[in-house]
Each structure stands twice: as structure tokens, then as C-alpha cells.
Amino acid sequence: MICEQHYLACLAQASYLVVDERTRTAFVVDPRRDVDVYVERAAALGAEIRYVLLTHFHADFASGHLELAKRTGATICMGSRANATFEHRACDDGEELVAGDVRIRCVHTPGHTPESATWVLFDDAEDRANPYGAFTGDTLFVGDVGRPDLLASVGVTSEQLASDLYDSLRDKLLALPDATRVYPGHGPGSMCGRSLGSETTSTIGKERENNYALAPMSRRAFVELVAGDQPQAPAYFPFDARFNKGTHAVLEDVLRRALVQLSRDEVDAYAKKGAQIVDVRDAETFAKGHLPGSVNVGLDGKFATWAGSVLSHERPIVVVAPKGHEREAATRLGRIGFDSVEGWFDASGLDAGPERLERVDAPDLAKRLAKGATLLDVRTPGEWGEGHVDGALHLPLVALVARASELPRDAELVVVCRSGYRSAVAASWLRANGFRNVADVRGGMVAVERHPGGLPLVQAEPA
């Protein structure tokens, strides 16, 4: 048996390819939407992808199950509580899929979502009695468990799901042998959990010993622990959960339209009709010159997460990119189901205008604030708590669009984050949405802490 993890760092997302070497049958678990990596790898191993296994309806990315089914004819499999509207095999709790020496058991583990399932992997050539591993999706991570609060908008309370998660973890997953490998759906940096560990795989034994959420505790204590104090999720999460539940265009068809090169006049025409212009160059290059109304979300950062936080999936999108990077930008938007890309514009020649975004160096920030500017800190609550400039406003980037009306329009805003990536996203979005007197801090709080220039810094209190 071959079992491989395919990790996508920009989404902190893990998918898996399992191949039975005797029958050359391949299974793919929780694929991302650009599926060439699985098709090409299976071909290299002389295997045929026959099954696509989904652990649940993902909220943070668009799954590639429809793409793989179309490309390979594979059967999509989910737990029978899923009620998906696309063609699939609904697997009961305990039902098994078998190919040669590979046996994969569907175990219903509701909690992160009602339909969540864990796929328990057996290598019968080595050990028929004990499982080799478990694809736990967003039920169990390394050092954490899945958050139960993402479905509050559709009437499922986090307390209900947390109670289900308590049972799933203790009655189903902790019943597995300690040597069982844990293959989670996400690694560090994912917003699907609160404090994921630095590793991307583990074992049941290690998690039993080290995972705070698996410590002995009452149901009530567990519900209070995991249902509260979760970080705010990006605005696109509910959309992606619905997107993954239904049928939609496959990525190759989306890219066919998205990769049409547009003229400046065509871009302006789309903008007049309400299209969003997203410029994917790095923040420093964007600041030197860009199209009016552009939002800067650089490909050099967590592009999908922040594009999904500040762009609307309901409005058309025009991508501005250096030639040769347009496919990457459109693909990464497609990974979160933002399929309304109408084309792309070549960023060549924009370095000198027509608009610029002012960037303030850290040593000059105190002077700017002394003249009446307002500092807006868009880092997470955890980062803010570790230390910030006294008197700054705090509005995490993930909440900017929903709460922008709280910001003063008559004051100069200087935006800061940790390094200067998120501040450029925020500052450019504010500029594109009517806040004209906006700048950001080059190098972010890292630079400010090195060169405070007399600014009063509030440091975190020792634990």
C-alpha cells in the first residue's frame, strides 16, 4: 500500500492519495480543486483513481471531488448524513470500501459539522485487525479539534455540535489503537481550529497524551472549552460550505473564461459595472503604481484566505497580474470557489501609476500620528494582545468589510499589521471603498518594535 499526504501550505490544507499496489486502485481523500497533482501522481504509480472520499463539506476551500469524478470517472463517497445534491455513494457508519489489500471504513464522527466522517484505513496485507491510519478531516487535528461554530448561520448551534464532537472523539476516535496514524485535514495556520500544532500528522496515542481537547473532562466542560472563544472565520466560509454541497462548474471551465486577457478599456468597463479589481503583485510593487479602485492581495501571502475575506463572491472579478502569473491567481481564487473572474489585465507598466499607495516607514510613524493620523491595527486579537501601539484602533482584517462603517472617514488612517502584507490588503480595500486618506506601515509591527520612534508600546503582560 502507498499512502501519501499532499499538503497545500497557502491553505494549510492536507489531502491524501492511497494506492493498493496489487490492484493499482487509487483513493483520494479531501482533494483540492486543481486536481492535476493527483491525476499525474496516480498515473506515475500506474494506478487508476476509483474513489474520492470526502470527510465533510469543507468551509475553507472548494473541494475537487467534481473535477476528479469528471476527469477519472471516480465514485464520490461521503457519510450517509451528508445529503449532498451531486451524485455520490452515501456510506453508512461502519461501511467499508475494499480494493485488494486496502480497506477503508467509514466512521461517522459528527461535531465539526453534522455530516463529518472519518475514513479509517487498513492495510490488510500487513495487519487485518488494527488500522493503519485515520483520515480525520476537521474532526481531529494535531494538538486541536475542529471548531463547532461554523454552521450557526444555518441554524445548527455550536453547543449542539460540540456535544456531538465530544461523543465522536471519545467513543469513536479514542477507541482506535494508539499506533493508529492521524491524518488530519489541516495543519498550522488553518482557521478551522484554534491552536493547531506544527506537525501535519500524528498518532492517536500522541493526541491522547498531548491534545488539550482530549484530556479527561465532562461533556459540559468540553462544550464550554471548544464552543467559545473561537477566532472569527473569514466571510467566505459559509459560501464555500454551500458551494461544496452542490453542483457547480469544474475548474477547467472556470479558467477558460478567467484567462482571457483584457484591455484597459475592458477593465474600466467591468469596473463601471461593479467588478472588483484584485492586484496580485507584492505590496511594495503595488504601492508604486496600480489601477484606480484596485485591492492588493499578493500571491506571496495567504492569498485565498485574504481574498476571500475582502472580496465578494457575488460580484465579477478582474485580476491584475504580471504576465505568467494570471493562471496561478485565477486558480487560487478557484480554490475557494470564487469563479466570477471575467479576465485578467497585464500589470506591465503600472509601476509608475496611475495611482499609488503611500507607505510609512516605522521611524516616521510617530510624527504622522502626532499630526492627527489614526493608527489602525488589523492583526488578530492574539497578536494585538501580545503588544500594540497605545491608542491604536483594533479591527482584525477578517472583520474589516463587515465593520468598516465603524472607522472615521474624516481622519487620515495609517494601517499596520505584523509584516506589511495584511496592512496593504486593508489599506487598498479602504481606498477602493471610499476612504481616500489612507496609508500603511512598511514592515508592520516588526519594524515598529525595532524602531518605535518614541511611540508608546503596550506590551503583553507576562503569563
Side-chain angles (χ1 to χ4, degrees), residues 34-53:
D34 45 321
V35 298
D36 285 352
V37 61
Y38 316 110
V39 174
E40 293 172 1
R41 181 60 178 153
L45 294 170
E48 179 183 356
I49 298 174
R50 298 282 302 279
Y51 297 97
V52 181
L53 313 181

Side-chain angles (χ1 to χ4, degrees), residues 155-341:
V156 184
T157 70
S158 58
E159 289 77 17
Q160 287 174 312
L161 286 175
S163 181
D164 289 341
L165 184 60
Y166 180 84
D167 292 330
S168 293
L169 292 168
R170 281 153 178 78
D171 297 344
K172 300 288 186 67
L173 295 188
L174 287 182
L176 297 173
D178 281 351
T180 306
R181 297 162 179 82
V182 172
Y183 295 126
H186 292 286
S190 169
M191 292 189 179
C192 291
R194 183 162 44 198
S195 56
L196 279 67
S198 60
E199 301 298 320
T200 61
T201 63
S202 184
T203 66
I204 291 294
K206 289 179 182 178
E207 294 311 299
R208 191 192 309 275
E209 181 179 353
N210 300 317
N211 193 313
Y212 75 95
L214 300 185
M217 69 183 80
S218 68
R219 181 187 303 274
R220 180 176 179 178
F222 178 84
V223 170
E224 292 177 351
L225 178 66
V226 303
D229 196 30
Q230 289 285 357
Q232 183 171 350
Y236 76 91
F237 272 29
F239 164 72
D240 268 21
R242 296 190 301 271
F243 185 87
N244 283 321
K245 190 172 184 177
T247 56
H248 49 258
V250 295
L251 185 61
E252 63 179 332
D253 293 337
V254 173
L255 292 180
R256 193 172 294 115
R257 180 180 64 180
L259 297 179
V260 173
Q261 186 169 352
L262 303 175
S263 67
R264 175 65 187 276
D265 287 344
E266 289 172 318
V267 173
D268 291 343
Y270 275 118
K272 289 178 181 178
K273 295 177 182 178
Q276 306 158 101
I277 303 173
V278 57
D279 190 317
V280 302
R281 296 173 296 162
D282 66 89
E284 198 65 40
T285 303
F286 173 85
K288 293 176 182 177
H290 53 266
L291 296 180
S294 299
V295 178
N296 177 223
V297 188
L299 290 174
D300 55 331
K302 287 193 172 182
F303 175 80
T305 296
W306 299 121
S309 296
V310 300
L311 300 178
S312 170
H313 62 84
E314 296 177 342
R315 294 166 53 197
I317 296 171
V318 172
V319 168
V320 176
K323 194 172 184 62
H325 293 273
E326 64 275 9
R327 176 176 288 274
E328 178 187 359
T331 298
R332 291 173 72 173
L333 285 168
R335 286 175 181 164
I336 56 170
F338 278 46
D339 290 354
S340 57
V341 179

Side-chain angles (χ1 to χ4, degrees), residues 353-378:
E355 285 207 0
R356 298 184 180 186
L357 176 65
E358 185 178 9
R359 311 203 84 191
V360 178
D361 288 316
D364 300 324
L365 180 58
K367 298 176 184 177
R368 186 66 61 95
L369 299 183
K371 292 179 180 179
T374 298
L375 184 64
L376 173 63
D377 192 322
V378 296

Side-chain angles (χ1 to χ4, degrees), residues 119-169:
W119 297 93
V120 179
L121 172 66
F122 291 83
D123 182 358
D124 285 347
E126 296 294 330
D127 187 345
R128 290 191 58 86
N130 296 299
Y132 179 88
F135 303 107
T136 57
D138 291 14
T139 298
L140 177 63
F141 299 124
V142 178
D144 205 349
V145 294
R147 57 191 297 177
D149 64 314
L150 295 181
L151 295 183
S153 62
V154 294
V156 184
T157 70
S158 58
E159 289 77 17
Q160 287 174 312
L161 286 175
S163 181
D164 289 341
L165 184 60
Y166 180 84
D167 292 330
S168 293
L169 292 168

